[in-house]
Amino acid sequence: MSDPTARDIRDAVAAGSLSAVDVCRTCLERIARDEPQLHAFLTIASEPAMARAATIDARARASERLPLLGVPIAVKDNISTRGLRTTAGSRMLDAFDPPYDATVVGRLEAAGAVIVGKTNCDEFAMGSSTENSAYGASRNPWATDRTPGGSSGGSAVAVASRMVPIALGSDTGGSVRQPAALCGVVGMKPSYGRVSRYGLIAFASSLDQIGPFSRTVFDAALLLGVIAGHDPADSTAARRPVPDFTAALTGDIRGLRVGVVRSMLEEGVDAEVAGSVRDALGVLQSRGATLVDIDLPHARFAIPAYYLVATAEASSNLARYDGVRYGFRASTTDADLRTMYEQTRAQGFGAEVKRRIILGTYVLSTGYYEAYYLKAQQVRTLIRQDYEAAFARTDLIVTPTSPTAAFRLGERIDDPLQMYLADVFTVSAPLAGLPAVSIPCGFTRDGLPVGLQMVGRMWDEETLFRAGDAYERDTAWWKARPPEAREGIGL
Ligand code: GLN
């Protein structure tokens, strides 16, 4: 079996034709071979993963049937794993071994998955390229001089390069969908409240969601089903039943109304990206979907609204890194407490995180709060209302995921505004709380992947999965293997 999906591995382990130990060993070998070129991981958990795989084999022999039985998975390094180093890409947490597991980690383990390591990301998930990681950037397996996107770049690289079949990331303004697009894999941000945030290192709490990476829509649906659901430890995790998302993949999208904002395919988008998205719309139509022109009049304010709300929340969330309770502490002999705080934060945080703390503190301060933060919250409401109006006439909305394919490493690092504009299509879904997915829909002439974004109604991940899977049945982009993944897991 070459390039097995999570579903393939699970079925083979359950059938006894493959052992979880062999699968895990092969993944670890792949990681060891390609990690020097790609730098997808911050921590590789070889020993715990092999030990865990052995216990899975025992359970498989006892005929236990679990949704991710023996499936190796990589987890973004801002998701807490008990006793396994969790840095969030920051020097501040360089030596942090969490005392507890995130809820999603517990659910992965209950589902029979094997965590093989923690993936690289922009510091505290702030960025669109992984270049803000304190541990160096990850590289795009389609062109190693280019970014894989971010902030969950390491997870996207690990899946695209076939080191693992599935991974978890987190998405606040695009951090699962944008790297998925730039690396040619599937990435989903669930509805806000679908997945527990307990144990996710907070960036902007009203936006953050954990989401799946995979090569197929089926695997994304499978993985979301495992991690979703109410959690008493997170009051924002909704008390809603979790459907069997994989059951939505019927291939039938006849009569589905697909909303398109024409201007989003005309202005500010690379022509090749727009062309691939237009072709994708044609594929959906050929399966019986109808296109509906819609308008999202406040979409052009989404970037400023996002960067006000997200920085405000970040400035509050990151106040906890004071060098006292856990994490990095600057060595300040004979200094007073205040100096210790200052030096800890000056040395522990990188430039982008500091920029956001300063911006966020500013927009929350007396005299500016009404002008910036409150205004941004009002714009957020308008953006949500735009979607509500659009969803009266459509079942999902299609846009490009990213206005360009993968940009070169270093190209935007000195120009924060240019970097923020990478998120122009991804920030409005989280501002409105809505689910959104990116699926591979083509390549540029340079051989770089292009992603198609679909945004759905609140709680309606099923329609996104159904449409994505139907599209996948008629296209082969998802099968393409990057040059750096010289051979599949090859089981
Ligand atoms: N690139 C966006 C930012 O820098 C989104 C990050 C994310 O979704 N975590 O804030």
Side-chain angles (χ1 to χ4, degrees):
M1 207 189 312
S2 75
D3 287 357
T5 62
R7 179 196 205 172
D8 294 334
I9 292 171
R10 174 204 58 193
D11 291 346
V13 172
S17 54
L18 211 57
S19 83
V21 163
D22 286 344
V23 175
C24 185
R25 186 183 303 110
T26 315
C27 277
L28 291 169
E29 283 167 8
R30 288 296 318 275
I31 293 170
R33 193 187 67 190
D34 291 344
E35 181 57 15
Q37 290 81 50
L38 299 175
H39 191 32
F41 285 87
L42 293 180
T43 301
I44 300 169
S46 308
E47 279 170 30
M50 287 299 286
R52 161 115 181 117
T55 69
I56 295 291
D57 280 330
R59 290 168 73 173
R61 278 191 296 273
S63 300
E64 266 194 68
R65 291 292 169 264
L66 297 170
L68 295 175
L69 191 73
V71 177
I73 185 167
V75 173
K76 186 178 181 179
D77 207 32
N78 64 349
I79 297 174
S80 299
T81 40
R82 191 154 70 99
L84 184 62
R85 181 173 176 248
T86 300
T87 69
S90 182
R91 186 165 141 69
M92 194 61 96
L93 294 175
D94 187 53
F96 181 53
D97 288 333
Y100 64 96
D101 277 327
T103 295
V104 293
V105 168
R107 291 191 178 161
L108 288 178
E109 300 205 328
V114 177
I115 295 173
V116 296
K118 305 294 297 289
T119 54
N120 194 16
C121 57
D122 287 295
E123 183 173 9
F124 291 107
M126 297 175 189
S128 309
S129 71
T130 73
E131 290 165 292
N132 296 332
S133 166
Y135 306 97
S138 301
R139 290 170 180 274
N140 193 311
W142 293 93
T144 52
D145 61 338
R146 293 185 186 256
T147 172
S151 65
S152 317
S155 292
V157 172
V159 173
S161 65
R162 276 64 172 166
M163 291 172 169
V164 284
I166 49 173
L168 287 185
S170 68
D171 189 311
T172 304
S175 280
V176 170
R177 291 161 288 153
Q178 184 256 15
L182 270 43
C183 290
V185 298
V186 177
M188 169 174 268
K189 184 203 88 74
S191 306
Y192 184 80
R194 180 61 92 182
V195 179
S196 168
R197 293 181 294 111
Y198 181 72
L200 170 66
I201 294 176
F203 163 11
S205 307
S206 77
L207 301 160
D208 297 341
Q209 274 292 291
I210 295 170
F213 284 93
S214 58
R215 296 202 319 277
T216 63
V217 171
F218 184 96
D219 276 2
L222 179 66
L223 178 51
L224 181 61
V226 165
I227 62 172
H230 180 64
D231 176 11
D234 173 8
S235 62
T236 66
R239 274 181 200 283
R240 291 184 72 89
V242 179
D244 175 0
F245 294 113
T246 62
L249 312 187
T250 59
D252 183 1
I253 56 165
R254 282 171 299 175
L256 188 77
R257 296 168 303 168
V258 175
V260 186
V261 186
R262 289 288 158 190
S263 60
M264 287 190 186
L265 292 177
E266 280 148 20
E267 293 150 33
V269 185
D270 177 86
E272 290 182 88
V273 169
S276 294
V277 172
R278 277 199 207 93
D279 291 348
L281 290 170
V283 173
L284 294 172
Q285 270 181 304
S286 70
R287 278 200 161 247
T290 51
L291 303 190
V292 182
D293 280 324
I294 56 147
D295 196 17
L296 297 173
H298 299 93
R300 63 200 178 95
F301 302 120
I303 286 278
Y306 170 81
Y307 277 95
L308 292 171
V309 172
T311 54
E313 293 185 20
S315 71
S316 166
N317 272 327
L318 272 59
R320 72 189 64 169
Y321 302 104
D322 56 9
V324 176
R325 285 165 287 185
Y326 53 83
F328 172 76
R329 175 187 296 184
S331 45
T332 46
T333 37
D334 298 337
D336 59 15
L337 185 63
R338 193 189 167 94
T339 309
M340 192 281 285
Y341 286 156
E342 284 172 0
Q343 295 196 2
T344 293
R345 290 169 69 82
Q347 294 167 27
F349 290 136
E352 180 62 25
V353 172
K354 287 177 187 160
R355 179 181 296 123
R356 296 200 186 197
I357 292 172
I358 291 168
L359 263 173
T361 307
Y362 179 76
V363 305
L364 288 174
S365 57
T366 316
Y368 297 100
Y369 179 90
E370 285 79 8
Y372 294 112
Y373 181 72
L374 197 65
K375 182 72 76 50
Q377 292 289 27
Q378 290 164 340
V379 171
R380 189 173 183 180
T381 302
L382 294 174
I383 289 171
R384 202 186 59 238
Q385 289 169 348
D386 282 356
Y387 276 112
E388 277 163 17
F391 282 123
R393 302 170 49 225
T394 62
D395 302 308
L396 60 83
I397 296 169
V398 162
T399 73
T401 307
S402 159
T404 64
F407 43 95
R408 287 203 163 73
L409 288 164
E411 195 178 296
R412 302 192 187 173
I413 197 68
D414 297 322
D415 188 349
L417 193 58
Q418 223 21 58
M419 192 70 95
Y420 296 174
L421 288 174
D423 309 324
V424 61
F425 296 122
T426 49
V427 292
S428 50
L431 283 171
L434 303 174
V437 69
S438 179
I439 53 176
C441 75
F443 289 90
T444 63
R445 274 188 298 273
D446 291 341
L448 300 171
V450 178
L452 176 78
Q453 176 175 242
M454 298 190 291
V455 181
R457 287 196 184 89
M458 194 66 191
W459 308 117
D460 191 12
E461 288 88 357
E462 287 166 286
T463 297
L464 299 181
F465 285 136
R466 180 179 306 117
D469 169 70
Y471 175 78
E472 200 175 87
R473 292 179 193 210
D474 284 344
T475 53
W477 313 115
W478 62 277
K479 290 184 191 156
R481 185 190 289 163
E484 282 305 308
R486 282 155 294 184
E487 55 201 58
I489 291 173
L491 298 163

